[in-house]
Amino acid sequence: AFAMFFLQPFAGFIANFVANASVSTLHGGSLLSGFILSGSFLPMVMLGIHQSLAPIHSELISRYGVTLLLPILAMAGAGQVGASIAVYVKTKNQQLKKAILAALPVALLGIGEPLIYGVTLPLGRPFLAACLGGAFGGAFQSYYMVGAAASGISGLPLAFASNKATIYLLGLCISYLGGFLAAWVIGFEDLPEVNEHDPRWLKYIVTGDESIMKLWLRRGASGWRLDVADELPDEVLSLI
């Protein structure tokens, strides 16, 4: 009932807003539309409703030969790259540094979930910084009306499908720098070092009767999505 009466109408509202903003961009190169669209895209990815935008890309390509929406939204991932690099430079947590290094290559190619769930979202403020960095890049892409003749790709590879590759790459750099500076200025509370082999940690997270995982299983969770599974020891993975 919740999905039918709230989530589906909400997703429809977001899709309509994005479609209208895309048309505004097409007709005038709106800075504000690009700023809002890119700045709000990471929360949409987090909620899973970004998939509702796929038909909009297809419709724009069908009508105009390119989608101006995709280069704008791609800036959100670039903002996250910049914010994560700032976290890497500032953090004292070696595990976090390792997670960032592992996730950055795929993030540069447009796959941002490992950085969302493994770095920026757990830290809080860097996630907001990533949104800000992406918003400035999105405004830049919108102003210059950069389009892409393909969908389903993002990050650096999207430059090959862009009608203005140099401008697109410059927008990426703006988002990288914006995300970095925003995260550097806003800051964050560093994560503590965790020893996953410690029996107390295993009991608190996995094995104890009142562990985090068992709590959510009792509440109806059916499984786990581990975006940074390579950061967990085999012993922990086997218990999960």
Side-chain angles (χ1 to χ4, degrees):
F2 179 74
M4 181 180 297
F5 294 109
F6 178 75
L7 290 182
Q8 289 183 2
F10 180 68
F13 169 79
I14 293 296
N16 288 332
F17 168 78
V18 172
N20 292 333
S22 301
V23 172
S24 171
T25 298
L26 280 167
H27 291 163
S30 169
L31 284 168
L32 182 60
S33 293
F35 188 92
I36 294 174
L37 285 169
S38 187
S40 61
F41 188 61
L42 287 180
M44 293 175 66
V45 172
M46 184 183 70
L47 295 172
I49 60 178
H50 63 296
Q51 299 295 346
S52 65
L53 306 182
I56 299 175
H57 296 309
S58 300
E59 179 64 20
L60 290 173
I61 292 173
S62 175
R63 286 189 187 184
Y64 306 105
V66 294
T67 167
L68 299 187
L69 178 59
L70 187 55
I72 293 171
L73 301 182
M75 296 303 100
Q80 185 165 235
V81 168
S84 297
I85 293 174
V87 172
Y88 179 85
V89 174
K90 296 189 78 171
T91 184
K92 301 291 193 298
N93 188 311
Q94 294 303 312
Q95 291 175 313
L96 185 56
K97 284 180 179 287
K98 183 179 177 182
I100 294 171
L101 284 180
L104 274 177
V106 295
L108 290 169
L109 298 178
I111 302 171
E113 284 84 354
L115 284 181
I116 290 178
Y117 299 112
V119 181
T120 60
L121 189 58
L123 291 172
R125 281 176 281 175
F127 183 78
L128 297 177
C131 293
L132 279 174
F136 284 105
F140 181 84
Q141 301 287 355
S142 178
Y143 180 78
Y144 285 100
M145 301 178 70
V146 178
S151 61
I153 55 176
S154 187
L156 289 171
L158 188 58
F160 295 100
S162 172
N163 61 349
K164 300 176 182 178
T166 302
I167 300 297
Y168 174 78
L169 291 172
L170 184 56
L172 277 179
C173 292
I174 290 173
S175 292
Y176 293 151
L177 181 60
F180 181 93
L181 292 176
W184 192 271
V185 172
I186 295 174
F188 60 95
E189 293 184 12
D190 212 354
L191 294 178
E193 294 278 0
V194 174
N195 178 11
E196 293 92 347
H197 298 284
D198 190 317
R200 294 170 298 176
W201 185 88
L202 287 170
K203 181 179 179 181
Y204 177 71
I205 299 294
V206 185
T207 61
D209 292 335
E210 301 299 324
S211 67
I212 299 297
M213 302 192 91
K214 289 183 179 178
L215 169 67
W216 288 106
L217 287 172
R218 286 195 297 269
R219 292 186 178 182
S222 58
W224 310 103
R225 171 175 170 171
L226 304 174
D227 284 296
V228 286
D230 60 305
E231 299 300 314
L232 293 173
D234 292 341
E235 174 189 357
V236 176
L237 292 175
S238 65
L239 291 172
I240 295 174

